[in-house]
Amino acid sequence: MGGAKAGAEKVSRRLSRALAAVPRALREDLFTLARDPLPRQAWLGRLPHAHVVLFAVAVGVANLSEYERAIQWAPLFVELLIAVQASAVVLVMSRPVAAWWLSTGALFLIAYAGDNRVGHDMLWPWSISGVALQTMLLFLLALRVRPRVAAEALAITVLAGVANMELADHDHNQVLTRAVGYLVGAVVVGASLRTGRVARTRLVEQEVLTTEERARRTLLEERNRIARELHDVVAHHMSVISIQAQVAPHLVRDPSDELRENLAGIRQNALEALTELRQVLGVLRSEDATADGARHAPQPGLDRLDELVDNVRGAGVTVEVRRSGEVRPLSPGVELSAFRIAQEALSNAMRHAPGASVRVDVGYGPAALTLRVANTAPARPARPSPGAGHGLLGMRERAAMLGGDLVTGPAPGGGYEVMAELPTPTAEDAHA
């Protein structure tokens, strides 16, 4: 007995808390003048809004005529209330909750004022036109507010009709039981459409976030790849400096103590810089992407451009390579970036321009290396690319890293071209 009593008290407390929370929930949901415009349709534009206005005017006039026939003449007070209800259907397109309060209040007051004037044959407490206006209003309300708010508005609307019936002094042709079905249907349809629209909006937002995240991840991966390659290039040069500083004293007959000390200091600084470089950038090396031998292989340069082009030709693509200027070894950073840009541009041509021929122009200028990869118009439509599609971003990163520039865009005749200009410092600039 004691356990049953305790359980009943627990249920009673929960019910009391739930009932106490109802007024606060209604106040938060329905006591608001917040603006929530009806969104513009993608295909129809503002046409549905115009239809709502025409509906409000036409049904409002019909409602006024209905009451004038029922009570011979409608008092000014009733006419104003009918106009308020029709206007609320227009207002609902911008402020749905406020418009619902206006319409529901007008319905209640019209029925209350017409109790002693409306005959037994007229539907009461609401006319057919009044029900139509309230149905449209609840539908537009449910399109924009949460289902709980729409259900609360529906319940209060029905309670207003019940109150009119209880306050009536005469018997009337009751319409409330029939009107409730239309009102419930409007709320259900509106809430369902809103739920579908919200789901589609969230899906689009998620797709946008996924695309942005994919782009950010691709960019980070490309930057990590550049950092790894930069680590290899710089580490190579620092190692060479260290070895040269160690060997230099043995190349000079009777080197002075100052020379030995300076060279030892150079070697020590090079070793310390190399150690710090490995600590900072070494963690960027992939541990499972390739084998150790491949990871520590020399980075490619323009001397391997012909090998790259041969691989592309092996895939059935016509590629022509032209070099101009004085062909000479460049700094490892420029060589590596030029090779990677050419590699990515050729891959894009194969992927997005099937059947097109490609031309690679390499120009060795006195202060810059010019690289141009251009393809003709594709011979057939390209298949959809499943990748992230941010290769151009990576090429721009490489050019910007060296202080260069990269331009991409359509080429004459329907093709596409990628042009990069990478500075090539002279020996005087390197020693400055």
Side-chain angles (χ1 to χ4, degrees):
M1 293 293 294
K5 183 177 181 180
E9 292 179 351
K10 188 175 182 180
V11 172
S12 177
R13 287 195 299 270
R14 289 182 177 177
L15 182 60
S16 299
R17 287 195 296 267
L19 292 176
V22 170
R24 185 182 64 179
L26 291 176
R27 184 173 63 253
E28 294 176 352
D29 293 341
L30 297 178
F31 287 83
T32 176
L33 298 177
R35 189 171 182 271
D36 186 7
L38 186 67
R40 182 174 181 175
Q41 300 297 314
W43 296 101
L44 300 178
R46 297 290 183 183
L47 185 60
H49 300 68
H51 287 168
V52 171
V53 174
L54 291 175
F55 175 86
V57 172
V59 180
V61 172
N63 196 22
L64 181 60
S65 301
E66 197 170 346
Y67 271 96
E68 287 180 344
R69 289 195 304 269
I71 60 180
Q72 302 305 321
W73 58 273
L76 180 61
F77 178 66
V78 174
E79 292 178 350
L80 290 176
L81 290 175
I82 292 174
V84 167
Q85 187 188 9
S87 301
V89 177
V90 178
L91 180 62
V92 76
M93 292 189 292
S94 60
R95 299 184 185 273
V97 177
W100 167 78
W101 277 116
L102 280 178
S103 179
T104 304
L107 271 178
F108 178 83
L109 293 176
I110 290 171
Y112 185 77
D115 179 25
N116 296 324
R117 299 173 179 271
V118 175
H120 296 287
D121 295 333
M122 182 178 177
L123 295 176
W124 195 89
W126 302 326
S127 64
I128 295 176
S129 301
V131 172
L133 289 172
Q134 190 71 3
T135 300
M136 173 62 74
L137 191 142
L138 283 174
F139 170 73
L140 296 175
L141 175 75
L143 279 177
R144 318 240 283 296
V145 299
R146 291 175 298 165
R148 188 184 79 175
V149 179
E152 293 169 351
L154 173 64
I156 293 177
T157 300
V158 175
L159 289 176
V162 173
N164 281 132
M165 295 170 58
E166 293 297 327
L167 295 175
D169 295 331
H170 302 83
D171 293 331
H172 296 283
N173 185 6
Q174 308 292 349
V175 71
L176 182 60
T177 54
R178 283 168 282 179
V180 168
Y182 295 104
L183 300 178
V184 171
V187 170
V188 171
V189 173
S192 300
L193 293 176
R194 178 187 180 273
T195 301
R197 188 182 75 248
V198 170
R200 289 192 299 271
T201 302
R202 290 179 178 175
L203 179 61
V204 171
E205 292 176 351
Q206 186 62 38
E207 289 178 351
V208 170
L209 291 175
T210 302
T211 302
E212 292 177 352
E213 177 62 23
R214 187 184 299 118
R216 188 185 67 85
R217 186 171 62 249
T218 302
L219 178 60
L220 290 177
E221 290 174 354
E222 183 63 23
R223 287 182 175 179
N224 286 344
R225 179 182 177 184
I226 294 173
R228 289 195 300 268
E229 294 171 347
L230 178 63
H231 165 264
D232 293 340
V233 172
V234 176
H236 168 73
H237 284 288
M238 296 303 294
S239 299
V240 171
I241 292 173
S242 175
I243 294 172
Q244 288 177 339
Q246 183 180 11
V247 174
H250 302 284
L251 302 179
V252 180
R253 180 178 299 176
D254 298 328
S256 63
D257 294 337
E258 291 80 2
L259 178 60
R260 289 181 180 274
E261 183 178 352
N262 289 334
L263 291 175
I266 293 174
R267 182 174 184 274
Q268 183 63 30
N269 290 333
L271 291 176
E272 291 178 359
L274 184 60
T275 301
E276 293 179 3
L277 179 67
R278 286 171 175 166
Q279 290 174 350
V280 174
L281 298 179
V283 295
L284 296 175
R285 303 194 66 88
S286 174
E287 294 299 331
D288 56 353
T290 53
D292 289 342
R295 288 205 306 267
H296 296 286
Q299 296 296 340
L302 289 176
D303 56 338
R304 293 179 57 184
L305 180 60
D306 291 334
E307 178 183 344
L308 172 65
V309 170
D310 289 339
N311 291 333
V312 175
R313 288 171 178 161
V317 180
T318 302
V319 184
E320 179 184 3
V321 180
R322 293 187 180 182
R323 293 178 173 86
S324 60
E326 181 184 354
V327 179
R328 63 187 187 278
L330 304 175
S331 64
V334 174
E335 291 266 353
L336 175 61
S337 294
F339 179 86
R340 293 302 188 196
I341 291 173
Q343 184 180 43
E344 182 65 30
L346 289 171
S347 298
N348 287 343
M350 294 173 62
R351 187 182 304 114
H352 301 295
S357 59
V358 185
R359 176 174 170 177
V360 181
D361 294 314
V362 183
Y364 290 83
L369 173 74
T370 302
L371 176 67
R372 179 178 179 269
V373 181
N375 61 267
T376 60
R380 56 186 180 275
R383 295 180 179 179
S385 179
H390 297 282
L392 296 179
L393 185 61
M395 289 191 283
R396 289 193 176 93
E397 288 276 325
R398 291 183 177 277
M401 179 185 67
L402 298 172
D405 193 16
L406 185 132
V407 179
T408 62
Y416 197 85
E417 67 177 358
V418 175
M419 179 174 290
E421 185 174 315
L422 308 177
T424 55
T426 60
E428 291 77 5
D429 295 334
H431 291 295

